[in-house]
Structures are given as C-alpha cells and as structure tokens.
Amino acid sequence: MMRKIHLKSFGCQMNKLDSSLVAGALTEQGFALTDKPTEADVIIINTCSVRQHAENRVFSNLGHIKHLKKSRPEILVAVIGCMAQRLGAELLAHEVVDIVAGPTQLHEVPALIRQAMTDHEKHLSVTDKIRQPVADEKIIEAGHKLDDFEIAYDTDSNHIKSQAFIRAMRGCNNFCTYCIVPYVRGPEVSRPPNAIVEQAKKLAAQGIQQITLLGQTVNSYRYESPDKTYTLANLLQQISEIDKVHWVRFITSHPGRFDKSILQVMADNPKVCPYLHIPAQSGSDRILKAMNRGYTADHYIALIDKARAIVPDTAIAGDFIVGFPGETEDDFEQTVELVRRVRYKNAFVFKYSTRPGTHSEKKLEDSISAEVKQQRNTKLLEVISEIAEKDNQRFIGQTMEVLVEGLSKKPHLNVNAEANKNAGAQAPRIFHPQLIGRTAHDYIVVFNGPESLTGQFINVKITKTAPLTLFAELC
Ligand code: SAH
Ligand code: SF4
Ligand code: F3S
C-alpha cells in the first residue's frame, strides 16, 4: 500500500516552493499525498524562522500532532525548513519529532523518511557551518537537482495549477542586521539559466501560464558562464519568449543594485508583469543604516520614480518593520512620509522580532515596547490602506484581464448581493459562486462566475473597490 504524506507550509513563497519540490520528489518515489493529517503515515511541517510568531505557530502545531500521535503512535513527523536549520537537535528532542532537515537538505527528505520507517530512530540533517563564504559544491548540486522537481499540480488542493514558482536563486548574502534568512538558507547561489528556462518550457507544456521567479533578492540573480553573465533581465526575456507563458513575474526585489535593464524588459514586454515587490523596511536613513540595508530613503524614492517613468503605472508593493531597536517617533514619521510619497499598492508591516544569532540581537537592545510597536503597526497600516483606497477608485469602470485563481475562500458579501441583483434582472436562476482572480499588477479581484473559469485568463469590469480588493463583473 502507498504510504501517505501530509505536508504543511508555514512560511514565505520560497518555503511553499520547497514544499512543492519535496512533494514532487516524494510522489516520484512512490509516496501519495493527502490533505488530511488524520490519514497520513508521515506529517511534514515546513517551517519559518523569520519572526518568533512564526516559530510559535509551529510549536502549537506540534502540540496538535501530539494528540494525534496518542491514537496513532506510528505516524512519523518530519520538521523541515528554516526553523529546522536554526534549532537542529533542539527541535529533534521534541517528543513528537522524528526527522529534522534544513532548507539545504531537502533533497534528503525521502531517504530520511524511508530510513526512519525501518530503524524507528530519530534523524537530524542540517548544515553545520552554513555561513561559509561559498556554499558546499555537493549541496549546490543536490539543490539544483531538487529544483528541477517543480510540479504542475497544487499540493494543497491536488489540482493541476495554472501558475508555478521557479527558483532563480537560493540563499542570501545581504545580512540585514535583523534577519535570520542568511543563517538558515546559506550563501547566495544562482541556478543555471538554461535549467530555469527549460523548466519554464516544461511547465508551460503542462499547462502553466504564469511563472513567478523566486529569490530572496531576485534582482541580484547573476550567473557567470564562459560566454556571458546572465541577469534577471535575461531570464525574464527568455521566459517571455515561450509561447504558452502568458505572464511572468519575480519576487522579491532589493532596492540596492536594482538594474535598469529589468525595468526595460518590463517596459518592452507585455508578458512581464508591471509589478515590483520591493521592500523599503523604513523611511529613516538612520534606521536603514542600522538595518544594513545599503540605501537611503532618497535612493529608494528615486528608484521608484525611475521605475514608474520607465514602466508607467507599475504597481509597487513593500514590507516595513516597525519598532526596530532605537526607532524614535521621528524615525517612524519618516517611514509614514515615505509611504505617502511612494503610494504602495499594498505593503506588509511587521513588528520587529529579535532573531537569535543576528547582528541586531547581539548588538542592539530590543528597546521599543510592545505597545509602541503595536501603535506604529496600526498607524502605518491605516496610512497604507487610506492611500490604496483612494488610488484604487480610479479603476472603477475599467476592464481588466485577470488570471482566475479559483473559488474565493472568504465570501465578500457586497459583491454577491450586487451580482445576484444583476442576475435577477437577466437570468434569475443562475447564482454563480464567488471567484478570485489577479491582474497583471497583482490586484486581487473578486467577482461572480462559474468555477470552470479557474485557471483561465478572462476580462472583468471593475464595479467597486476597497483598499485590498477590487470587485468586478464578468464582461
Ligand atoms: N528577502 C526579502 C525579505 C524576506 S523576509 C527582502 O529582503 O525583501 C520578509 C520580510 O520579513 C522582510 O521584508 C521584513 O520586512 C520582515 N522581517 C525579516 N526579519 C524580521 C524580523 N526580525 N522582525 C520583523 N520582521 C522581519
Ligand atoms: Fe533578510 Fe535582508 Fe536577505 Fe531579505 S535581503 S532575506 S531581509 S538579509
Ligand atoms: Fe521564508 Fe521564513 Fe525561511 S520567510 S526564507 S521560510 S525564515
């Protein structure tokens, strides 16, 4: 009988891509996937260490598994990903955990599972000295191999996907002082361009129409080959030349060393989505310096202006950290000012969380109280939302192309009421469910329509807007 695996992701897009690759490798080796933990022989938890909150969620999940294991003690539990690398043996000591494997050992997961099934021992696989200046050749090779496993179906829903993520690069060398990522994902490694482009072709042939290239600082993608140095702009160009690819995007961009050639490809090529996720983190030069971000607020704003000059109407998304050690009211006000100047499509706001082993944990005191962090978080989100609310109104009446992602998970009441009213006038008995789609600029659009549109590019007309959502009807 086929062994069943339940796999749950707790992290960023990179973490979700890793889950999908591990799922691909496991299914190829004869395991089956299940979305029900109660039916699984193996539960895999792919973890995140970026904030303490992310780690707490994993520990509470392990608490639930403890109950499950009481009735089915034979279930194997594997904890993989960033937290596995950070905590290693400490995590393995947890009573329910059987396997711990870091982000640079994901290729070993199928073998570790088989081993644990036979020897009933605990197994640990992480990289000892992960911050050697250059990643271990063997690890690089194994990583490249695993990266080829991206599959065209969604491990959450077990459906064929219409979009896929492809890794452009692994790791990070930036060492922002607050950030754990360089210590859990290791040095930057760019994948060979031909592997990326071939993978895009293969996925497109299987029905994938949107490709998102991933990297922690994807704009620093560089691959030296004897003939030339390949950049992100080259990858975007080559992928957009694949017939069946309709849209190509990339996340996340770092504002330092952002090459104009990327903007040029976006401007010249309608398949390259006019969307940049380019976190500023702060609007205060003093804090940006303490964060080791390598740019000033003026540099960041100039870059956004340049992007909008070259690619008109580019949608800008961002991330901010509030309550970084020593952040004064004045520093925070400068962040608010930057947000007002840039006018984000949307931006995530995070409360600073001390990460063990980072520069800021060792050298700086977590001096801002939880209350002040919360106040700044709320205030910044209000400003972001107020701006998006105003800016989004310009879309009312416009026709937009969306890629339909599927049924909306949360019902949006106002769109249903309106659409049903319309349906009443034209075709009284057809009540379509609510669907979610995304535009090239990454706006989320909610509209009523048949579920069979999932995975298709269609036109919708915007009827109403909110800060994070556009509401529409089928054209
Ligand atoms: N590589 C991406 C970000 C990866 S982490 C980049 O540099 O843009 C995603 C976001 O988490 C970051 O942009 C940052 O805003 C936030 N973050 C990272 N470390 C954090 C910490 N210690 N506390 C709070 N937020 C953090
Ligand atoms: Fe972390 Fe900075 Fe690297 Fe982003 S660029 S992953 S914030 S160290
Ligand atoms: Fe992603 Fe979290 Fe790791 S943000 S890179 S899963 S620490």
Side-chain angles (χ1 to χ4, degrees):
M1 206 183 65
M2 262 187 167
R3 301 290 196 155
K4 285 193 185 157
I5 309 266
H6 175 75
L7 206 163
K8 194 168 161 64
S9 277
F10 280 90
C12 61
Q13 298 297 4
M14 192 75 82
N15 172 288
K16 296 202 165 71
L17 169 63
D18 287 341
S19 291
S20 157
L21 298 173
V22 168
L26 283 165
T27 45
E28 198 174 88
Q29 297 201 16
F31 290 93
L33 297 171
T34 171
D35 55 2
K36 295 186 187 66
T38 46
E39 283 181 1
D41 301 295
V42 185
I43 295 179
I44 303 180
I45 305 178
N46 195 2
T47 60
C48 173
S49 265
V50 83
R51 284 168 290 277
Q52 188 54 46
H53 176 68
E55 296 200 351
N56 295 347
R57 284 175 61 214
V58 168
F59 280 118
S60 90
N61 198 261
L62 290 175
H64 297 310
I65 294 175
K66 192 174 145 186
H67 286 291
L68 195 63
K69 251 192 158 173
K70 270 193 194 132
S71 52
R72 292 184 52 211
E74 71 282 5
I75 298 178
L76 276 184
V77 178
V79 180
I80 64 173
C82 294
M83 202 176 152
Q85 174 64 38
R86 192 179 88 72
L87 293 172
E90 201 181 319
L91 203 48
L92 196 67
H94 190 289
E95 58 187 306
V96 306
V97 178
D98 301 291
I99 295 165
V100 168
T104 42
Q105 275 74 30
L106 298 179
H107 56 281
E108 295 175 10
V109 170
L112 289 169
I113 290 175
R114 286 191 193 287
Q115 223 175 328
M117 278 175 168
T118 20
D119 66 12
H120 307 287
E121 300 281 338
K122 287 189 178 233
H123 293 273
L124 172 69
S125 185
V126 293
T127 301
D128 260 355
K129 293 197 178 101
I130 198 160
R131 278 317 317 189
Q132 287 169 20
V134 178
D136 179 320
E137 275 303 320
K138 269 200 216 123
I139 287 184
I140 294 181
E141 272 318 303
H144 285 340
K145 248 194 197 148
L146 186 74
D147 277 334
D148 288 333
F149 270 109
E150 174 59 338
I151 44 177
Y153 62 81
D154 183 355
T155 53
D156 283 342
S157 65
N158 283 346
H159 283 143
I160 292 282
K161 300 186 283 199
S162 51
Q163 54 173 324
F165 294 99
I166 295 186
R167 176 141 32 228
M169 55 191 295
R170 281 191 287 277
C172 183
N173 288 348
N174 274 46
F175 292 100
C176 302
T177 53
Y178 51 81
C179 186
I180 195 75
V181 173
Y183 304 95
V184 288
R185 295 221 163 231
E188 261 178 38
V189 179
S190 290
R191 287 180 73 199
N194 61 332
I196 296 171
V197 175
E198 285 310 310
Q199 190 169 25
K201 283 184 186 158
K202 200 171 99 192
L203 289 167
Q206 290 170 24
I208 298 289
Q209 300 184 80
Q210 171 172 278
I211 282 169
T212 306
L213 293 173
L214 289 188
Q216 288 298 347
T217 61
V218 70
N219 52 310
S220 44
Y221 176 89
R222 289 273 176 295
Y223 190 90
E224 310 279 349
S225 83
D227 59 323
K228 71 175 203 175
T229 302
Y230 288 83
T231 63
L232 180 66
N234 300 133
L235 291 182
L236 293 171
Q237 179 59 38
Q238 287 190 46
I239 292 176
S240 66
E241 283 165 14
I242 303 170
D243 262 357
K244 288 185 177 154
V245 170
H246 195 75
W247 283 345
V248 51
R249 330 172 165 269
F250 53 97
I251 49 175
T252 302
S253 296
H254 187 283
R257 302 181 306 273
F258 191 99
D259 204 87
K260 195 176 153 198
S261 62
I262 300 170
L263 298 172
Q264 208 52 60
V265 182
M266 286 168 84
D268 295 344
N269 198 320
K271 286 188 183 177
V272 183
C273 293
Y275 167 76
L276 288 176
H277 184 176
I278 186 158
Q281 312 296 0
S282 169
S284 152
D285 290 348
R286 206 176 66 81
I287 297 294
L288 286 170
K289 189 151 195 267
M291 288 176 163
N292 190 33
R293 287 291 287 180
Y295 54 85
T296 61
D298 280 351
H299 169 97
Y300 180 86
I301 289 169
L303 175 60
I304 301 301
D305 286 349
K306 185 161 87 180
R308 286 183 168 143
I310 298 176
V311 191
D313 220 16
T314 321
I316 307 291
D319 297 350
F320 289 92
I321 295 177
V322 291
F324 186 80
E327 185 189 62
T328 62
E329 261 323 294
D330 185 51
D331 291 318
F332 175 67
E333 278 310 315
Q334 292 178 42
T335 299
V336 174
E337 221 171 278
L338 180 132
V339 165
R340 291 197 196 282
R341 173 70 168 77
V342 171
R343 304 193 79 86
Y344 288 91
K345 168 195 159 272
N346 71 313
F348 300 99
V349 181
F350 303 107
K351 287 175 268 189
Y352 172 74
S353 165
T354 309
R355 304 318 295 137
T358 58
H359 177 90
S360 63
E361 183 256 344
K362 290 190 219 149
K363 304 280 179 191
L364 306 170
E365 190 199 337
D366 185 3
S367 59
I368 311 300
S369 69
E371 287 87 343
V372 171
K373 282 180 185 168
Q374 187 54 52
Q375 278 165 15
R376 291 180 185 169
N377 189 299
T378 309
K379 166 86 194 282
L380 197 57
L381 283 174
E382 274 169 14
V383 177
I384 292 163
S385 164
E386 199 183 288
I387 292 169
E389 182 163 24
K390 263 196 204 133
D391 286 356
N392 288 354
Q393 286 169 9
R394 72 187 192 279
F395 298 128
I396 292 178
Q398 283 190 21
T399 299
M400 289 185 168
E401 186 182 27
V402 294
L403 170 57
V404 184
E405 292 185 350
L407 288 180
S408 154
K409 284 186 188 131
K410 292 186 287 196
H412 295 263
L413 289 176
N414 43 8
V415 73
N416 253 348
E418 247 165 63
N420 287 345
K421 201 172 70 199
N422 292 345
Q426 296 150 16
R429 300 222 187 286
I430 304 171
F431 294 107
H432 285 312
Q434 235 170 40
L435 300 177
I436 289 261
R438 251 172 225 269
T439 69
H441 292 82
D442 201 51
Y443 285 95
I444 297 170
V445 186
V446 175
F447 54 97
N448 289 78
E451 200 185 343
S452 56
L453 291 176
T454 303
Q456 295 185 33
F457 286 88
I458 59 161
N459 283 332
V460 294
K461 190 167 163 202
I462 309 301
T463 53
K464 201 174 147 87
T465 59
L468 287 176
T469 319
L470 311 181
F471 298 98
E473 55 193 31
L474 292 176
C475 288

